[in-house]
Amino acid sequence: MSIPCPYCQHPFPPGAQSCPGCGASLLLEAVPGGTQPVCAVHPTLRGLGTCSRCGTFACARCLRAGPQGETLCVRCHQLEPDAPLPWDQREELGMWRAFWKTLGQVLLHPGCFSQARAEGRTSDSLLFTLLCSLPACFMTGLTYMLIFTAMPWMMEALPDPNPSTGDGSGLAFMRWMGVGMFVATTLLGPPLSVLMTLMGAGVDHLVLRAGGVTRPFNVTLRAHSLSEAAWALGIVPLIGTQVAPVWALVSRFFAYRGLHRTTTGTALAGTLLAPLATCCLCGGGYMALMLAIFGLAAQK
Ligand SMILES: [Zn+2]
Ligand SMILES: [Zn+2]
Ligand SMILES: [Zn+2]
């Protein structure tokens, strides 16, 4: 939001001390006893804009841009909670410490979101998602490989239904298949989860917007990406990938409510509406498919 210059009406952004249009200084002396508003902090300076939070007049020195570009006074700007998460402090902490500390906070103290910095760069958010997906993708790939390498031995234990092909080529094929599955899951899984995060955050953002949220998409993406922390539990074989989706939804609710500073209802809708709709669609599609198959079978 910008404010018109008192001389030329050219809009200037909060924080500017001279007009970008006519170059005049925006620090205007207040006329003693005049009718014009004066700054709440500097009574000798004219108030040029009002704070969108507390409504007081602020001079050019006291005007600030809020997290959504709104006009704030210097006091309300200081009160704006802006605690950086460890992930925002990678330069000081180092990549891995920042990652582990963020995992701990998101998984165990999701309340931290209500005080946390809302905005984050898209690349930072997606990098976090990528790192979180690695353990689950690696473990899933490993599980596939073990199943495929173990399967030939299990089949060998069974009577061979077709002895003419029992030359061992099937065994080798299964083993290579297992290795292939491992490589494919480990390599393709992480970029795929980044893509899913982008799409998921996009859909959730539409729901949140409908619920009255005004903060930009990068806040939703940051919340969605950070809530992927639970997928790091995917390193626990078999159980991890079962627990992760539920835990991720719980974290996402806290992240949406905290970073968007929105109501519990809007945050719940943003978290659950898209997954529920997907379930219904998939469930519906599955039912239709089953009915069609039964229908075809009944006709024969
Ligand atoms: Zn001007
Ligand atoms: Zn204020
Ligand atoms: Zn002032």
Side-chain angles (χ1 to χ4, degrees), residues 172-255:
F173 174 74
M174 288 304 257
R175 250 175 242 146
W176 280 112
M177 184 82 171
V179 175
M181 289 288 273
F182 173 70
V183 173
T185 314
T186 314
L187 287 185
L188 297 180
L192 204 67
S193 42
V194 168
L195 196 71
M196 297 280 282
T197 297
L198 267 173
M199 289 185 349
V203 177
D204 288 356
H205 190 63
L206 293 179
V207 178
L208 291 166
R209 282 292 287 271
V213 156
T214 53
R215 294 191 172 182
F217 174 67
N218 77 56
V219 176
T220 307
L221 182 66
R222 177 167 155 96
H224 198 293
S225 300
L226 288 167
S227 71
E228 305 279 332
W231 283 100
L233 301 170
I235 198 70
V236 183
L238 301 172
I239 308 157
T241 46
Q242 308 295 311
V243 177
V246 182
W247 205 330
L249 281 181
V250 175
S251 316
R252 196 163 306 152
F253 160 73
F254 281 102

Side-chain angles (χ1 to χ4, degrees), residues 4-12 18-24 26:
C5 165
Y7 300 109
C8 70
Q9 303 303 311
H10 190 286
F12 68 89
S18 62
C19 171
C22 66
L26 293 169

Side-chain angles (χ1 to χ4, degrees), residues 5-296:
C5 165
Y7 300 109
C8 70
Q9 303 303 311
H10 190 286
F12 68 89
Q17 300 209 359
S18 62
C19 171
C22 66
S25 169
L26 293 169
L27 296 167
L28 306 177
E29 295 288 328
V31 185
T35 50
Q36 279 156 336
V38 294
C39 173
V41 181
H42 308 97
T44 58
L45 292 174
R46 242 172 81 182
L48 294 182
T50 49
C51 172
S52 65
R53 218 41 73 78
C54 69
T56 56
F57 284 100
C59 70
R61 204 174 277 160
C62 296
L63 286 171
R64 295 284 186 281
Q68 298 153 64
E70 73 273 42
T71 307
L72 293 182
C73 72
V74 66
R75 278 179 294 194
C76 289
H77 188 258
Q78 277 167 359
L79 288 177
E80 178 70 21
D82 188 42
L85 290 170
W87 189 239
D88 304 315
Q89 299 167 299
R90 292 199 299 284
E91 281 191 9
E92 301 94 89
L93 293 172
M95 177 87 146
W96 290 111
R97 267 188 72 199
F99 182 65
W100 286 121
K101 285 187 136 192
T102 310
L103 282 188
Q105 276 202 12
V106 172
L107 293 176
L108 303 174
H109 308 286
C112 70
F113 283 119
S114 61
Q115 296 297 314
R117 182 174 298 168
E119 306 239 1
R121 278 195 313 210
T122 304
S123 54
D124 290 354
S125 302
L126 293 181
L127 179 65
F128 188 79
T129 299
L130 190 77
L131 289 180
C132 290
S133 71
L134 291 177
C137 292
F138 175 78
M139 215 16 109
T140 309
L142 206 65
T143 313
Y144 276 132
M145 189 159 76
L146 288 176
I147 290 173
F148 273 87
T149 28
M151 212 137 65
W153 304 111
M154 293 194 289
M155 290 208 291
E156 233 175 338
L158 298 171
D160 197 342
N162 191 1
S164 60
T165 54
D167 54 358
S169 66
L171 267 171
F173 174 74
M174 288 304 257
R175 250 175 242 146
W176 280 112
M177 184 82 171
V179 175
M181 289 288 273
F182 173 70
V183 173
T185 314
T186 314
L187 287 185
L188 297 180
L192 204 67
S193 42
V194 168
L195 196 71
M196 297 280 282
T197 297
L198 267 173
M199 289 185 349
V203 177
D204 288 356
H205 190 63
L206 293 179
V207 178
L208 291 166
R209 282 292 287 271
V213 156
T214 53
R215 294 191 172 182
F217 174 67
N218 77 56
V219 176
T220 307
L221 182 66
R222 177 167 155 96
H224 198 293
S225 300
L226 288 167
S227 71
E228 305 279 332
W231 283 100
L233 301 170
I235 198 70
V236 183
L238 301 172
I239 308 157
T241 46
Q242 308 295 311
V243 177
V246 182
W247 205 330
L249 281 181
V250 175
S251 316
R252 196 163 306 152
F253 160 73
F254 281 102
Y256 282 161
R257 196 179 64 169
L259 295 190
H260 276 299
R261 315 279 195 268
T262 187
T263 59
T264 300
T266 301
L268 263 182
T271 308
L272 292 178
L273 220 59
L276 284 178
T278 316
C279 277
C280 288
L281 278 176
C282 291
Y286 182 71
M287 288 278 280
L289 191 73
M290 291 312 268
L291 284 175
I293 290 170
F294 280 128
L296 279 176

